[in-house]
Amino acid sequence: MAAATAAYAATAAALGGARVPTTASAAPRNPSLLLPPPPRCFSSPFLPLASSSRFPDAHRFSSLQVKATSSSEETSSSPDELLDELKQKWDAIENKSTIFLYGGGAIVAVWLSSVVVGAINSVPLLPKLMELVGLGYTGWFVYRYLLFKQSRKELANDIETLKKKIAGTGE
């Protein structure tokens, strides 16, 4: 035992008083101490930002500065103004129960469609079949309405007619 203590003291003296780690303390306590330092970034006014052979106009854009400004013409509405406007619109509605009925119906429709899609997804091979049906319909739609100029005009007319029907301004 005395020989081991003497050997340890001799080793410590040879290392300049440094402690020799044991197997229990050999693992570093902070792993980030083992990482090399990050590379130094330096900039020089003499080095170009980009190679002039790859980007011939790089010297023009290196001194480009952009300043963001706001226009006084644009008015930003405060939350109080927004709430006042919403209250005025809500008070202008005559049949408020219809709004709640439509909102509830929309929520039920989304829930029901989610249930139906979940049921279809659980059947084997049916999702892939639905994908094929969707791809087929997409191909037909492109051929029917988007491929030729005359059919694109027809689609635009159909959309305008539908907009007028919804808005109640036509036919």
Side-chain angles (χ1 to χ4, degrees):
M1 175 103 153
T5 307
Y8 178 75
T11 306
L15 293 174
R19 248 181 91 192
V20 177
T22 62
T23 56
S25 66
R29 291 193 176 115
N30 189 355
S32 65
L33 295 176
L34 297 177
L35 296 175
R40 294 183 184 179
C41 296
F42 64 92
S43 62
S44 169
F46 303 110
L47 293 176
L49 292 177
S51 170
S52 60
S53 63
R54 290 178 52 195
F55 303 106
D57 295 333
H59 64 280
R60 285 194 319 165
F61 298 116
S62 64
S63 63
L64 183 65
Q65 294 181 356
V66 178
K67 189 178 212 181
T69 60
S70 65
S71 173
S72 61
E73 296 170 0
E74 297 176 10
T75 58
S76 61
S77 60
S78 68
D80 294 332
E81 293 173 7
L82 182 63
L83 287 176
D84 290 340
E85 184 178 337
L86 285 175
K87 285 179 186 177
Q88 289 174 358
K89 287 186 179 185
W90 180 252
D91 291 337
I93 296 174
E94 294 177 10
N95 197 358
K96 293 182 175 93
S97 61
T98 306
I99 301 295
F100 289 119
L101 187 63
Y102 284 154
I107 290 172
V108 169
V110 167
W111 172 78
L112 188 62
S113 64
S114 171
V115 169
V116 169
V117 168
I120 288 174
N121 250 352
S122 66
V123 176
L125 294 179
L126 203 53
K128 295 295 180 188
L129 180 66
M130 291 295 152
E131 285 182 24
L132 286 175
V133 168
L135 283 172
Y137 181 76
T138 302
W140 172 82
F141 184 84
V142 167
Y143 176 75
R144 171 69 177 88
Y145 289 111
L146 302 178
L147 199 56
F148 304 110
K149 184 177 182 179
Q150 185 64 29
S151 60
R152 285 193 299 267
K153 287 181 182 179
E154 180 184 341
L155 177 64
N157 290 337
D158 289 346
I159 290 173
E160 288 301 320
T161 305
L162 183 62
K163 282 183 188 178
K164 289 178 182 177
K165 282 183 182 178
I166 291 173
T169 59
E171 297 180 67

